[in-house]
Amino acid sequence: MEYRLGVDIGAAKCMLALVAGDGPEIVTYQRMDTDAVLAGPLPPGLALAQAVQQLLERSRIECEDVLGVGVGIPGIVERDQNTVVACPNLEMLNRVALGSEMGAALGLPVFVNNDANLNTLGEYTAGGGSGMRQMAGVFVSAGIGCGLILDGALYEGGDGAAGEIGHTVIVPGGLACSCGSHGCLEMYCSAKALSVVAEELYGRAHISAGAVSEQTAARYAGAQLLIEQAHAGDEPARAALDQAFTFLGYGLANLANTINPRLIVLGGTIPFAWPAGLETVRQVVESTALPAARRNLRIEMSALQNYAGVLGAAALVSLRLGRAAGA
Ligand SMILES: [Zn+2]
């Protein structure tokens, strides 16, 4: 049996999974705090290689039975060198030659890519996008990530920055964004954006006293509180979420008009925490996108949820090694 290893590194949590054959079967996986892996004394490439080796040892799988390792990170990657260009949410990965560092330590090919791209590749090869030649994945967590499948292939753009819809301007001259621009979509619909609204509604002291779920980094506890309040029937919280998902709907209508996908998969912690947002998004797209761009468009929640990233990372190994990517 041949295996591929998928690694999905998020700002708060990361997951490693061993995937059997060319199919989407996860043999075993491990979920860890990202800090527990990356904040130690080892350079990031060696720390991740060590985590991979430990998973293989526990599974009694030899390194030579593994075809390669795919790694998703929340940033921009130079794809030919598998080097991280920028990773604002995990600064220890900035400009790290992650592919070559991990590859040298493991003696395996290691391929690195943007996490939204790999989540989308996972949905395309193993989830609801199976057989879709034109699709997009949009993931709303701390910020907004987006991956594109065009003509049946992952589209990364000239410099790995395709699909950055979170930084398309939706309010000219609006809120300042970490990218240096103003009025970016993710300043209006993301955990970051909702945390700002929560501070306005409830005050900072109330938010820091609240519990933090394992899926939300402490700095975005406000978004979690806002969503809890909305579920409890708080009208201002519901209105704030309605507005955030309305902005997201405009973003997806623009995306539909730009690439005319047949499927947009919606994922990430925010849509999962507030499923009613899906209907808001659908209504905005229905009333905004061109008829031709929305006629055959479905907008669905991610079927693979937390597993899309590792399955996409495993599919990246197949893709880069020239094997079928499980579709
Ligand atoms: Zn921005």
Side-chain angles (χ1 to χ4, degrees):
M1 175 65 83
E2 286 175 329
Y3 299 91
R4 293 163 299 151
L5 224 143
V7 181
D8 183 18
I9 305 173
K13 294 278 169 184
C14 62
M15 190 190 285
L16 283 74
L18 193 61
V19 178
D22 271 336
E25 185 201 341
I26 293 178
V27 180
T28 184
Y29 72 93
Q30 186 178 12
R31 213 157 168 257
M32 289 174 282
D33 286 334
T34 302
D35 275 354
V37 182
L38 290 181
L42 287 177
L46 294 185
L48 283 164
Q50 197 176 63
V52 165
Q53 275 161 340
Q54 285 166 356
L55 184 76
L56 292 175
E57 277 165 25
R58 269 199 310 280
S59 317
R60 299 177 198 282
I61 303 286
E62 300 292 332
C63 234
E64 58 252 36
D65 292 326
V66 178
L67 293 169
V69 182
V71 183
I73 63 118
I76 294 175
V77 175
E78 203 291 299
R79 60 159 276 182
D80 293 331
Q81 301 296 323
N82 294 290
T83 294
V84 180
V85 176
C87 194
N89 289 325
L90 286 170
E91 288 184 350
M92 69 283 256
L93 293 179
N94 267 338
R95 293 176 294 283
V96 170
L98 204 53
S100 56
E101 276 185 18
M102 283 183 75
L106 291 167
L108 288 172
V110 177
F111 307 101
V112 185
N113 210 291
N114 168 267
D115 59 353
N117 283 351
L118 296 189
N119 272 278
T120 305
L121 193 59
E123 294 290 344
Y124 175 57
T125 55
S130 187
M132 288 280 167
R133 291 185 55 79
Q134 325 291 343
M135 69 170 279
V138 174
F139 305 94
V140 185
S141 294
I144 297 180
C146 169
L148 307 172
I149 302 288
L150 301 183
D151 290 334
L154 179 66
Y155 181 76
E156 298 169 76
D159 295 293
E164 289 289 348
I165 66 161
H167 298 286
T168 52
V169 174
I170 201 128
V171 180
L175 296 169
C177 179
S178 58
C179 74
S181 186
H182 286 78
C184 295
L185 178 59
E186 73 175 36
M187 296 311 296
Y188 296 88
C189 183
S190 65
K192 191 162 46 178
L194 294 172
S195 292
V196 173
V197 177
E199 262 189 40
E200 287 164 7
L201 286 177
Y202 311 116
R204 191 177 292 231
H206 190 167
I207 291 165
S208 54
V212 177
S213 86
E214 62 160 18
Q215 288 187 332
T216 313
R219 61 195 150 136
Y220 301 126
Q224 190 192 342
L225 176 66
L226 184 89
I227 292 169
E228 283 167 5
Q229 293 293 106
H231 280 298
D234 182 57
E235 268 312 316
R238 296 180 83 98
L241 283 165
D242 211 38
Q243 189 179 46
F245 279 92
T246 299
F247 275 115
L248 184 64
Y250 285 121
L252 297 201
N254 292 342
L255 180 64
N257 285 349
T258 309
I259 66 162
N260 185 201
R262 292 284 177 88
L263 173 69
I264 298 177
V265 172
L266 193 58
T269 53
I270 302 300
F272 284 129
W274 186 250
L278 175 64
E279 211 37 58
T280 309
V281 165
R282 282 175 173 159
Q283 283 167 11
V284 176
V285 172
E286 189 61 29
S287 62
T288 310
L290 286 172
R294 63 176 150 80
R295 187 172 300 127
N296 292 307
L297 170 63
R298 285 190 295 118
I299 304 174
E300 306 287 352
M301 292 293 276
S302 159
L304 300 174
Q305 301 200 4
N306 286 336
Y307 302 100
V310 288
L311 286 167
L316 180 73
V317 174
S318 304
L319 199 65
R320 294 288 191 257
L321 294 177
R323 303 165 73 106

